[in-house]
Amino acid sequence: MRIQLTNTLSRSKEVFEPADAGRVTLYVCGPTVYNYAHIGNARPPVVFDTLFRLLRRTYGDSAVIYARNYTDIDDKIIAAAQAAGQPIEAITEKFRVIYEQDMGALGVLPPTLAPRATQHVDDMIALIEKLIEAGAAYAVPSGVYFAVAKDADYGKLSGRSQDELRAGARVEGEDDKQGPSDFALWKAAKPGEPAWDAPFGRGRPGWHIECSAMIESALGSPIDIHGGGLDLIFPHHENEIAQSESAHGRALARVWMHNGFLTMDKEKMSKSIGNIVTVNELLAQGWQGETIRWALLSAHYRAPLDWSDDLLKQAQASLDRLYQVLRDADYDRLDEDLHDEGESHYPVGSNQVDDIIKPFLSALSDDLNTPRALAELNELAKAVRDATGATAEDDPQGDVRSRLMLTTAALRSAASLLGILQSDPNDWFRRGMDTSKIDALVAQRVEARKAKDFAASDRIRDQLAAMGVEVMDSASGSTWRRK
C-alpha cells in the first residue's frame, strides 16, 4: 500500500518514494535536555514513532534508519546548570534519562540512532569552515554568522521573503553581524561557558548548525524525511536548509513534515507562558502511557490539538472498551494460540490478517490519518466482539475458534502500528491500583459470602467501589477490575 505524506516544502500531499527502499532515512529534531518534557513536546516523538512503525512495516525493520538527536549544549542548558550550581553534563544526562523514560512510557520506540550535539562538534566546525570557504558565512569578533543575503533560496520552506527577513531585530551581543537576519553558526567563548577550539576562534556552536552536522554524519544527505514541530519551520529548519545546501550543493531532505501545536484552553502550550503540564506529571497522576498516546493521536498530526482532562478521559474510555473486547475474547488463551506455530492457523502478519486490516492501513498510509485509523480500529474490535459471541450455528464451517483467533490477531496487528493495546488486558485494568490491598479485600469479601455475612460482603463491595474497583462474581469465584 502506497504511503502519502504532506510535504511542507512542496505544500502538497505526495506519494512517498524513498531514494533507496533498502535504506529509508528519517530524522526528527529531538529535545533540548534541560527540563522535563511537557505534553506538547511529546507530540512529535509520538507522531513520528507512528510513522517509524508504518515505514518499518512497509520496508522492513532493518531498512529504516531513524535518527532523533539530543541538543546537549544550548543557552537554556547553560542557564539551568548555572542556576542549579551543577556541571552542564549533570543537567543534560539527568533530563536525557528522564526523557527516555517518559517517552518509553508512551510506547515510543527507541530510534535507530540518538546522536548528541556535543559528540559532533568537530563535524560542526568542519561544516562552518566549508561555509566560510564558500563565501556563505563570515567571522566577526562575536562569532561566525551565515550570510542570509547570499542565499537566493532562503525562505523557501517557510515562504518568507528576503524583505520580511530584513525587518528582523538584532539579538543582543550580535551587533557586529552584517545583516539583521544573519544567524549564528558559532558563538565566541564567554567566561564560565563551555567552549571548543576552532580555526575561527574558541567558542561553541549555534543551535541550527547542530542538526545539519548530525544529519550529515549519521545519515548523509539528502535524507528521505525530516520531521519536527510546526514551530521549527522558521527559523530552525529554514536555517538547516540554508547552511546544509550552501555547504554541500544538494538538498538536505526530500520530504519535510511538521506536526501542529498543542494548546491548553485554546492557547499555545509554552513554558514561557506557564500553561504546561509535563509527561512526568501526567504519569505520576496515574494516567497510563497508552491513554496519553491515544489522546495525542486522536487528532490529525497536522491539526491543532487542545489538551484537557476530558480528552484524557475520552482516551481512557476508548482504550477500556478495546481492552474489554480482548478480555471477553479470553485473550490470555488466544495469545498462546496466536504465537504457537503448531496450532495457529492465523499467525500475526499472515495474508488473512493483512486483508482484514486493509481499511486501517489505508487510513494510516493516507498522511498518517490517525483519527480515521482509530475509527477503523473500533471496527476491528467489533469484529472480535461478534466472533466472541458466535456459535457453531453462526458459522456453517464450524470454525468459530479460528475466526476469533483471526479477528483478534488483526486487531492486535493494527493496534501495534499505533503503539496501543500492548498490555495484557487483565494488567491494563489493574495498573495503577493498590493490587495487594484490593486482593485482600476481595478475599475478605469471598469469605464473608461463604459465611453468608451479606452485610459485611456489601460493605466491602462499597469500599472497593469507592476505590474505583468493580467486583465480578461467578461460579468459579470473584475477580476485579478498575471501573
Side-chain angles (χ1 to χ4, degrees):
M1 189 168 293
R2 299 191 310 176
I3 297 173
Q4 296 186 84
L5 302 172
T6 294
N7 188 348
T8 307
L9 187 61
S10 67
R11 294 162 178 76
S12 63
K13 187 159 64 175
E14 305 170 350
V15 174
F16 173 66
E17 295 180 355
D20 178 0
R23 186 178 183 273
V24 183
T25 50
L26 167 65
Y27 182 91
V28 175
C29 290
T32 300
V33 279
Y34 72 100
N35 208 333
Y36 292 94
H38 64 65
I39 191 61
N41 301 142
R43 196 177 193 189
V46 168
V47 165
F48 290 104
D49 175 73
T50 305
L51 176 61
F52 182 37
R53 291 168 184 265
L54 179 62
L55 291 171
R56 296 208 310 174
R57 187 189 190 281
T58 304
Y59 298 99
D61 289 357
S62 62
V64 184
I65 304 175
Y66 172 24
R68 188 188 67 217
N69 75 294
Y70 287 105
T71 294
D72 57 353
I73 179 64
D74 175 85
D75 291 343
K76 293 176 180 177
I77 293 172
I78 293 170
Q82 291 174 343
Q86 295 182 333
I88 283 174
E89 295 79 6
I91 297 294
T92 57
E93 183 61 15
K94 171 186 174 181
F95 287 107
R96 183 192 66 80
V97 171
I98 291 172
Y99 181 84
E100 290 185 357
Q101 290 172 342
D102 286 350
M103 294 308 108
L106 303 190
V108 174
L109 299 173
T112 318
L113 304 169
R116 305 185 199 185
T118 53
Q119 298 171 340
H120 292 270
V121 175
D122 287 345
D123 297 322
M124 298 172 204
I125 291 171
L127 180 55
I128 293 170
E129 286 188 283
K130 276 189 177 183
L131 290 168
I132 292 173
E133 291 169 8
Y138 58 90
V140 291
S142 67
V144 180
Y145 297 90
F146 184 88
V148 170
K150 298 287 184 70
D151 184 0
D153 285 340
Y154 191 86
K156 64 182 178 182
L157 183 68
S158 63
R160 301 192 182 203
S161 68
Q162 289 281 357
D163 288 340
E164 288 178 295
L165 296 168
R166 290 190 187 98
R170 291 182 183 272
V171 177
E172 184 180 353
E174 297 182 352
D175 295 332
D176 53 355
K177 65 182 184 180
Q178 295 172 2
S181 55
D182 294 351
F183 57 89
L185 303 172
W186 190 257
K187 299 182 178 184
K190 295 179 182 178
E193 292 187 355
W196 289 260
D197 290 324
F200 31 79
R202 186 168 173 78
R204 61 183 174 88
W207 174 36
H208 312 298
I209 198 71
E210 295 178 355
C211 284
S212 286
M214 285 186 280
I215 288 171
E216 198 64 39
S217 174
L219 301 174
S221 63
I223 59 174
D224 290 309
I225 304 169
H226 193 317
L230 194 65
D231 55 327
L232 296 183
I233 294 177
F234 186 87
H236 186 51
H237 288 168
E238 195 76 77
N239 292 350
E240 279 186 51
I241 289 174
Q243 60 204 10
S244 291
E245 295 187 1
S246 295
H248 302 298
R250 58 179 179 267
L252 175 59
R254 298 169 60 248
V255 176
W256 289 82
M257 294 177 64
H258 295 92
N259 63 270
F261 290 127
L262 227 66
T263 58
M264 188 171 282
D265 295 327
K266 307 300 181 183
E267 187 174 34
K268 180 189 171 185
M269 196 175 292
S270 169
K271 289 188 179 79
S272 60
I273 298 174
N275 62 336
I276 63 169
V277 59
T278 69
V279 176
N280 211 263
E281 289 169 339
L282 290 170
L283 294 170
Q285 290 168 12
W287 293 107
Q288 299 189 60
E290 282 192 19
T291 300
I292 299 169
R293 185 180 179 104
W294 181 294
L296 288 168
L297 294 176
S298 62
H300 192 281
Y301 78 91
R302 290 190 294 110
L305 176 62
D306 196 49
W307 194 260
S308 66
D309 280 350
D310 284 343
L311 179 68
L312 283 166
K313 290 173 183 175
Q314 291 166 13
Q316 184 82 55
S318 297
L319 280 164
D320 282 351
R321 284 194 294 271
L322 293 183
Y323 271 112
Q324 188 60 47
V325 167
L326 290 175
R327 193 175 190 178
D328 292 343
D330 192 9
Y331 175 75
D332 285 343
R333 189 154 52 91
L334 275 176
D335 190 46
E336 293 178 7
D337 292 346
L338 288 167
H339 293 86
D340 186 340
E341 295 181 4
E343 297 180 17
S344 175
H345 300 293
Y346 303 108
V348 173
S350 69
N351 291 334
Q352 294 96 328
V353 167
D354 290 349
D355 286 342
I356 291 175
I357 67 173
K358 273 183 180 178
F360 171 87
L361 289 174
S362 175
L364 203 57
S365 298
D366 183 13
D367 198 24
L368 294 185
N369 192 332
T370 53
R372 204 175 106 209
L374 290 172
E376 293 295 344
L377 206 64
N378 283 314
E379 290 299 312
L380 291 169
K382 182 178 182 298
V384 175
R385 193 181 302 113
D386 291 345
T388 301
T391 63
E393 290 75 20
D394 298 319
D395 190 340
Q397 303 301 318
D399 202 13
V400 175
R401 178 70 177 169
S402 293
R403 177 183 164 196
L404 181 57
M405 289 173 63
L406 176 56
T407 54
T408 304
L411 175 60
R412 292 286 296 209
S413 179
S416 68
L417 289 174
L418 293 175
I420 56 177
L421 298 188
Q422 302 300 291
S423 297
D424 176 272
N426 292 313
D427 290 344
W428 171 261
F429 286 109
R430 288 171 171 250
R431 194 165 297 167
M433 311 292 284
D434 187 345
T435 56
S436 59
K437 181 177 181 180
I438 295 169
D439 286 339
L441 287 170
V442 171
Q444 290 175 25
R445 183 173 175 274
V446 168
E447 292 304 314
R449 285 166 60 85
K450 285 181 181 178
K452 300 188 183 301
D453 186 352
F454 298 113
S457 171
D458 290 345
R459 186 174 63 254
I460 295 171
R461 177 187 282 274
D462 292 343
Q463 185 179 350
L464 288 165
M467 296 168 63
V469 174
E470 179 182 1
V471 181
M472 290 86 69
D473 298 317
S474 67
S476 59
S478 297
T479 59
W480 66 268
R481 69 179 181 185
R482 171 178 48 78
K483 288 202 292 187

